[in-house]
Amino acid sequence: MALRTIRTDDEPCLYKICKPVEKFDARLSELIDDMFETMNTADGAGLAAPQVGILRRIVVIDAGEGKVELVNPHILLQEGSVGCFEACLSFPGQRGYVERADHVVVEGYDREGKLHTYDTKGFFARAVQHELDHLDGVVYLTRKIDPPEGFSEKEEQTE
Ligand code: NI
């Protein structure tokens, strides 16, 4: 395993639409291991492949419910709406209030090519949406809005 460099700010790889993974091979497995290691070392809860310069549809998430890898993910259901502060490893030192669905069902393949479905809520659901946005070149700052007055700023999350 090796740490990958996290791309930041205006690096073009953060703003591209990623291509689906076609080969479920040893290289993919190594990339996913590296992404988990890079995410953990940076103290993040999620990381998308374009954040390490790979324009493929792969995300890793650990939102406190175990390690989840999603290859070629696809959202099946999104409902509700909840606002929260978010941050992103690609934009160090910044944060922003974003509204997202609070119940998300997502499916995606693991490194072996096996399809999994995750029924997510709360922080996990937020992380899924934040990371999947990265695969379409969308960064959370473009979704940033003003928080409602008196909103507790304690609920900051790092993705
Ligand atoms: Ni991010």
Side-chain angles (χ1 to χ4, degrees):
M1 279 195 280
L3 287 181
R4 305 265 177 145
T5 302
I6 297 177
R7 310 306 175 90
T8 60
D9 303 306
D10 57 358
E11 292 197 59
C13 59
L14 295 174
Y15 304 93
K16 308 265 198 220
I17 293 179
C18 298
K19 291 182 181 163
V21 168
E22 284 164 5
K23 285 187 195 162
F24 290 77
D25 56 9
R27 211 172 148 204
L28 173 67
S29 185
E30 192 183 322
L31 171 62
I32 291 171
D33 283 339
D34 289 356
M35 286 172 64
F36 274 119
E37 193 183 3
T38 304
M39 175 186 81
N40 290 335
T41 302
D43 219 10
L47 189 70
Q51 292 181 274
V52 292
I54 307 288
L55 297 179
R56 293 284 175 175
R57 304 188 78 82
I58 308 159
V59 308
V60 298
I61 294 170
D62 189 345
E65 301 185 35
K67 287 164 66 172
V68 171
E69 59 198 51
L70 293 167
V71 178
N72 299 342
H74 177 66
I75 287 179
L76 301 174
L77 175 107
Q78 259 177 313
E79 63 180 13
S81 178
V82 63
C84 196
F85 276 94
E86 289 184 17
C88 178
L89 295 176
S90 291
F91 299 93
Q94 295 193 58
R95 59 212 287 282
Y97 183 88
V98 179
E99 278 186 358
R100 299 195 188 267
D102 69 341
H103 177 206
V104 172
V105 180
V106 63
E107 67 175 17
Y109 296 89
D110 64 18
R111 68 187 72 195
E112 314 288 344
K114 202 175 177 189
L115 190 61
H116 299 265
T117 304
Y118 298 93
D119 193 327
T120 71
K121 287 190 172 160
F123 185 33
F124 193 2
R126 179 165 295 272
V128 165
Q129 293 167 90
H130 177 116
E131 299 312 330
L132 264 62
D133 265 355
H134 276 298
L135 304 181
D136 291 320
V138 176
V139 302
Y140 84 99
L141 291 170
T142 65
R143 299 191 184 280
K144 183 179 165 178
I145 58 171
D146 289 332
E149 223 169 298
F151 183 83
S152 165
E153 298 202 358
K154 283 178 196 161
E155 296 171 58
E156 187 175 347
Q157 301 175 344
T158 302
E159 287 150 25

